[in-house]
Amino acid sequence: MDLSRRSMKKIRELIVFTAFLVVALWKFDVVIEVLKTAWKIVFPFALGGAIAFVINVPMSFLEKKILRNIKEENKTGKKAARPISLLLTIILVAGVIVLVMFGVIPQLTQTMGNLMTSISDFIPQMQNWIREFSHDNQEIMKLVDQLQFQPDQAIKWGISLLGSGAGNMMNTTMSAVGSIASGLATFFIAFSFACYILFQKERLHLQVRKVIFAFIPKQKADAILKICSLTYRTFAHFLAGQCLEAVILGTMFVITLSILKMPYALLIGILIAFTALVPVFGAFIGCAVGSLLIFMINPRQAVLFIIVFLFLQQIEGNLIYPHVVGGSVGLPSIWVLAAVTIGGNLMGIVGMLIFIPLVSVFYTIFREFVYSRLKKQHIKQVTRTDVVEYTAEESE
């Protein structure tokens, strides 16, 4: 049977692919080393791309919403809008870092000191409670009496832990100075690359489109660009909404706990704000830790804190989250839970954050594919009991 030129081309491609696959499996360790070396080379640029993606979210907002009038006035304003928005974004990020370093960290340090004192006071109370509940059982009390907390020993243990960690880091690198210098150099290259991307993003976008259309058929190129655009929008909306929602929730807790004069208001608010970045489960982790901290000071206030948490969580879930994050990811709740679970098992906390928008992209693409298949089969609607087909007029 004569084979067409197109069929022969596919056969050759399949043979080449099979040969590469066999060689890769045969020299698997060599392939891994090559991939590691390639990743080391590409890592600064990948990090720069990630930094550019994160910075572009607030920078685009400033450029389009706040500096829009400057761009429309004259050409000079149009050229200056991008550098000004980038500079304001960097100042904003640096301001947050400075605020954490000089505003929050000293208060957290003081809070941790008070926490050690609270633990020291809490252990005797806990021993008395266990003694009452166990009716002074001797075997249980022997174990309970061994519980002791000495702040000085805890501090020494923490210092030794940090020291051993630093020692391990120094042993795994040539030297501490060399490691810091390498890290700073990598960050400088990544940040410079990110700034270049942000300044030239329209030109780079056009160049990428030209390359794709040059080497890929138009129909496939359009589909690839559509998927890329959907992925960018989904990740950007999710990142912006999740960060804003976490800040609002943390602020609500700091204000509410301060009004109710509960201990560790700032520490718990910051903890809940950071854990709220993890969808579904994050805020509840902060609630568990906050309840434990308050319980060691005042068990009644711990119960009140749980009630306050559930109340604020309802406000956040029903009022704030739908408006701030809303349907930006376009993913049903059951798939959000599945994405968080799978991402957490594969990549930890980072996986929880990445997999929600990633699964949302796959969900959107698969939904469009299903609808297109239904339309090809002339099916207009599928209900629980019936299948509605297009009429002859609608098909035309």
Side-chain angles (χ1 to χ4, degrees):
M1 181 177 65
D2 294 334
L3 296 175
S4 64
R5 183 177 298 178
R6 187 174 181 182
S7 299
M8 290 296 297
K9 182 179 178 181
K10 289 184 178 180
I11 292 173
R12 286 197 300 268
E13 291 175 353
L14 181 60
I15 293 173
V16 172
F17 174 76
T18 305
F20 274 112
L21 183 61
V22 170
V23 172
L25 294 176
W26 182 33
K27 296 291 185 179
F28 187 73
D29 53 342
V30 177
V31 173
I32 294 297
E33 291 298 324
V34 171
L35 291 176
K36 287 182 179 179
T37 304
W39 174 247
K40 288 180 181 179
I41 297 173
V42 175
F43 175 74
F45 303 101
L47 179 61
I51 293 173
F53 177 83
V54 174
I55 293 179
N56 184 60
V57 176
M59 191 191 80
S60 297
F61 175 80
L62 292 173
E63 186 177 359
K64 294 178 181 179
K65 302 295 183 180
I66 298 178
L67 301 177
R68 181 175 57 185
N69 295 331
I70 298 177
K71 291 179 65 176
E72 294 175 353
E73 287 179 358
N74 48 51
K75 293 183 178 180
T76 305
K78 187 176 182 179
K79 293 181 180 179
R82 178 68 54 81
I84 292 174
S85 59
L86 178 59
L87 180 61
L88 290 176
T89 304
I90 295 174
I91 292 174
L92 177 63
V93 174
V96 172
I97 296 175
V98 171
L99 177 63
V100 172
M101 291 180 62
F102 296 100
V104 176
I105 290 180
Q107 297 186 37
L108 292 181
T109 304
Q110 182 180 0
T111 301
M112 295 304 295
N114 296 334
L115 178 61
M116 291 185 180
T117 304
S118 301
I119 295 174
S120 300
D121 297 336
F122 173 72
I123 288 180
Q125 295 180 14
M126 185 183 68
Q127 291 173 339
N128 293 331
W129 292 340
I130 296 176
R131 182 178 288 107
E132 293 177 2
F133 282 114
S134 65
H135 301 289
D136 206 11
N137 186 295
Q138 296 299 320
E139 294 181 359
I140 296 177
M141 293 312 302
K142 285 181 180 179
L143 297 175
V144 174
D145 290 337
Q146 294 178 0
L147 291 175
Q148 293 182 353
F149 179 79
Q150 298 177 354
D152 296 338
Q153 295 296 326
I155 294 173
K156 291 180 180 179
W157 176 79
I159 294 174
S160 65
L161 182 64
L162 292 175
S164 62
N168 292 331
M169 290 179 63
M170 291 179 65
N171 292 330
T172 55
T173 56
M174 294 297 292
S175 64
V177 176
S179 178
I180 293 173
S182 176
L184 290 175
T186 300
F187 179 78
F188 178 76
I189 295 172
F191 186 76
S192 301
F193 185 64
C195 292
Y196 175 79
I197 293 175
L198 293 172
F199 277 121
Q200 304 289 333
K201 59 181 181 179
E202 288 85 5
R203 180 180 297 179
L204 291 174
H205 179 246
L206 181 60
Q207 291 174 349
V208 170
R209 284 177 60 88
K210 288 180 179 179
V211 171
I212 291 176
F213 280 108
F215 293 95
I216 300 176
K218 186 177 183 303
Q219 188 176 2
K220 293 182 179 179
D222 287 331
I224 292 173
L225 291 175
K226 184 179 179 181
I227 293 173
C228 292
S229 177
L230 174 64
T231 303
Y232 172 77
R233 291 197 310 270
T234 304
F235 272 83
H237 291 166
F238 176 76
L239 176 65
Q242 200 70 26
C243 291
L244 182 58
E245 184 262 345
V247 171
I248 293 174
L249 186 62
T251 304
M252 288 171 57
F253 270 94
V254 172
I255 294 174
T256 305
L257 297 183
S258 299
I259 293 174
L260 296 176
K261 296 182 179 180
M262 289 189 180
Y264 311 124
L266 180 63
L267 177 61
I268 294 174
I270 294 174
L271 179 64
I272 289 178
F274 275 103
T275 55
L277 292 173
V278 180
V280 183
F281 306 114
F284 290 94
I285 298 174
C287 173
V289 177
S291 301
L292 179 62
L293 294 176
I294 297 177
F295 183 81
M296 288 186 293
I297 302 295
N298 191 329
R300 292 181 180 179
Q301 283 190 326
V303 176
L304 178 61
F305 169 74
I306 295 175
I307 296 173
V308 169
F309 173 82
L310 295 175
F311 176 73
L312 293 180
Q313 189 72 10
Q314 288 298 315
I315 295 177
E316 182 266 344
N318 296 317
L319 298 178
I320 298 175
Y321 193 88
H323 290 86
V324 174
V325 181
S328 59
V329 295
L331 199 62
S333 301
I334 187 171
W335 295 114
V336 172
L337 181 61
V340 170
T341 304
I342 296 171
N345 290 332
L346 293 178
M347 300 173 59
I349 294 178
V350 176
M352 292 182 181
L353 295 173
I354 292 177
F355 264 68
I356 287 183
L358 191 63
V359 172
S360 175
V361 172
F362 284 118
Y363 176 82
T364 303
I365 295 172
F366 183 71
R367 182 179 59 189
E368 292 182 1
F369 176 74
V370 170
Y371 284 140
S372 65
R373 294 287 298 177
L374 290 174
K375 191 173 183 179
K376 285 182 180 179
Q377 299 183 30
H378 303 285
I379 297 175
K380 182 178 181 180
Q381 186 179 7
V382 178
T383 64
R384 302 174 78 178
T385 56
D386 297 321
V387 176
V388 181
E389 296 185 355
Y390 287 100
T391 62
E393 296 177 354
E394 290 175 334
S395 299
E396 294 176 358

